[in-house]
Amino acid sequence: MANNQDALLKYWNQFIQTGVIHENVRDYIAEGWKRCRQKGIDPEIGVGVKIDDEIFEAIQEKNKELIAISKIIMLEVYHSVANSDALVYVTDADGCILEQYKDSTTSLPAVESKLIPGYRWSEAENGMTSMDLAMRLDKPVRVVGYEHYCQNQQICASSTAPIHGNSGEILGSLSLVSLIEQYNEHSLGVVIAGAALIENQMRLEGMLNLFQTTF
């Protein structure tokens, strides 16, 4: 149903107008719509919220290892989805975008939507996104077109996987976002693999640091 956008638009309009959700809307999407409605989120909004520069610097310092390791893997994720016209970004556990990659040909309006480092994306502020859902549910998810609650996000298709620390805690997330016309059904598998690579590399770095400290 995620790819049947005409039907999803009808279901979304029905929900916005009446609060009734069609049975064909996927469960975690339906629950997200309900939460957004209960929180009084305006469906006509949906862009990132700027974080104070000093606070963002502290967030970057706290997550410097995640940022450093993610940079190379983000590039691999981007090029794994051929002709995707996409962008890739990594967030911390609170939905702050730490790092982003796109090339010069990407037409997705990242600056306008605030899909750039230093902006926070949380459901309470920005409506339901794949990034928020992936960390909320602790599993990889995709949100396509009219599955988004907020209109500003409905031009996009996004896939996100959570990134875990050594103890299983959620450190952040890895997302791949494209215009819906360039949506690639393999995107979710790519971000799952990318998140696993980040986790494995962070685990190796931790073991190396422990070895160096011990000996």
Side-chain angles (χ1 to χ4, degrees), residues 46-51 87 89 91 95-98 100 108-121 126 131 152-153:
V47 296
V49 174
K50 179 76 166 64
I51 297 173
L87 66 86
Y89 64 89
T91 75
C96 170
I97 297 180
L98 302 171
Q100 177 231 66
L108 188 70
V111 174
E112 291 86 345
S113 64
K114 311 306 181 186
L115 283 171
I116 52 179
Y119 283 78
R120 182 176 60 245
W121 285 77
N126 320 104
M131 177 275 297
N152 286 340
Q153 302 160 13

Side-chain angles (χ1 to χ4, degrees), residues 200-215:
N200 289 338
Q201 188 62 38
M202 293 191 70
R203 191 174 299 113
L204 288 172
E205 292 286 343
M207 292 173 63
L208 178 60
N209 291 338
L210 178 60
F211 180 84
Q212 292 173 335
T213 300
T214 302
F215 295 98

Side-chain angles (χ1 to χ4, degrees), residues 66 69-70 73 77 90 140 160-164 172-175 188-203:
L66 174 59
I69 290 172
S70 297
I73 296 172
V77 166
V90 169
T160 303
I163 299 170
H164 299 92
S173 66
L174 174 68
S175 295
L188 186 59
V190 169
V191 295
I192 291 171
L197 285 172
I198 293 172
E199 291 173 353
N200 289 338
Q201 188 62 38
M202 293 191 70
R203 191 174 299 113

Side-chain angles (χ1 to χ4, degrees), residues 140-213:
V141 300
R142 60 188 168 86
V143 181
V144 181
Y146 293 111
E147 290 186 319
H148 291 94
Y149 183 77
C150 291
Q151 288 178 317
N152 286 340
Q153 302 160 13
Q154 291 175 346
I155 62 170
C156 298
S158 57
S159 299
T160 303
I163 299 170
H164 299 92
N166 293 338
S167 301
E169 74 280 15
I170 295 177
L171 300 178
S173 66
L174 174 68
S175 295
L176 190 152
V177 182
S178 68
L179 293 172
I180 193 167
E181 293 84 2
Q182 282 81 41
Y183 172 64
N184 188 311
E185 63 182 12
H186 302 298
S187 296
L188 186 59
V190 169
V191 295
I192 291 171
L197 285 172
I198 293 172
E199 291 173 353
N200 289 338
Q201 188 62 38
M202 293 191 70
R203 191 174 299 113
L204 288 172
E205 292 286 343
M207 292 173 63
L208 178 60
N209 291 338
L210 178 60
F211 180 84
Q212 292 173 335
T213 300

Side-chain angles (χ1 to χ4, degrees), residues 58-70 98 202:
I59 291 172
Q60 287 178 305
E61 178 62 26
K62 178 182 177 181
N63 293 277
K64 61 183 180 182
E65 183 179 8
L66 174 59
I67 293 171
I69 290 172
S70 297
L98 302 171
M202 293 191 70

Side-chain angles (χ1 to χ4, degrees), residues 11-167:
Y11 303 155
W12 180 83
N13 278 321
Q14 174 182 285
F15 179 72
I16 295 300
Q17 294 168 11
T18 68
V20 175
I21 292 184
H22 194 279
E23 61 182 5
N24 286 344
V25 178
R26 293 189 291 156
D27 288 345
Y28 65 72
I29 299 297
E31 292 303 315
W33 286 2
K34 291 176 185 176
R35 285 194 306 272
C36 289
R37 189 180 182 89
Q38 290 168 355
K39 293 172 182 175
I41 294 173
D42 183 351
E44 295 186 3
I45 64 168
V47 296
V49 174
K50 179 76 166 64
I51 297 173
D52 179 82
D53 289 342
E54 290 187 7
I55 294 176
F56 183 54
E57 288 179 8
I59 291 172
Q60 287 178 305
E61 178 62 26
K62 178 182 177 181
N63 293 277
K64 61 183 180 182
E65 183 179 8
L66 174 59
I67 293 171
I69 290 172
S70 297
K71 285 183 177 180
I72 296 175
I73 296 172
M74 288 167 63
L75 182 62
E76 293 298 321
V77 166
Y78 181 89
H79 289 294
S80 293
V81 185
N83 302 316
S84 65
D85 195 24
L87 66 86
V88 184
Y89 64 89
V90 169
T91 75
D92 70 359
D94 296 318
C96 170
I97 297 180
L98 302 171
E99 191 68 46
Q100 177 231 66
Y101 176 82
K102 68 183 183 70
D103 67 24
S104 59
T105 65
T106 300
S107 59
L108 188 70
V111 174
E112 291 86 345
S113 64
K114 311 306 181 186
L115 283 171
I116 52 179
Y119 283 78
R120 182 176 60 245
W121 285 77
S122 67
E123 188 173 273
E125 296 170 305
N126 320 104
M128 184 191 67
T129 64
S130 66
M131 177 275 297
D132 188 282
L133 279 176
M135 293 193 287
R136 180 185 297 273
L137 302 175
D138 196 10
K139 69 177 186 180
V141 300
R142 60 188 168 86
V143 181
V144 181
Y146 293 111
E147 290 186 319
H148 291 94
Y149 183 77
C150 291
Q151 288 178 317
N152 286 340
Q153 302 160 13
Q154 291 175 346
I155 62 170
C156 298
S158 57
S159 299
T160 303
I163 299 170
H164 299 92
N166 293 338
S167 301

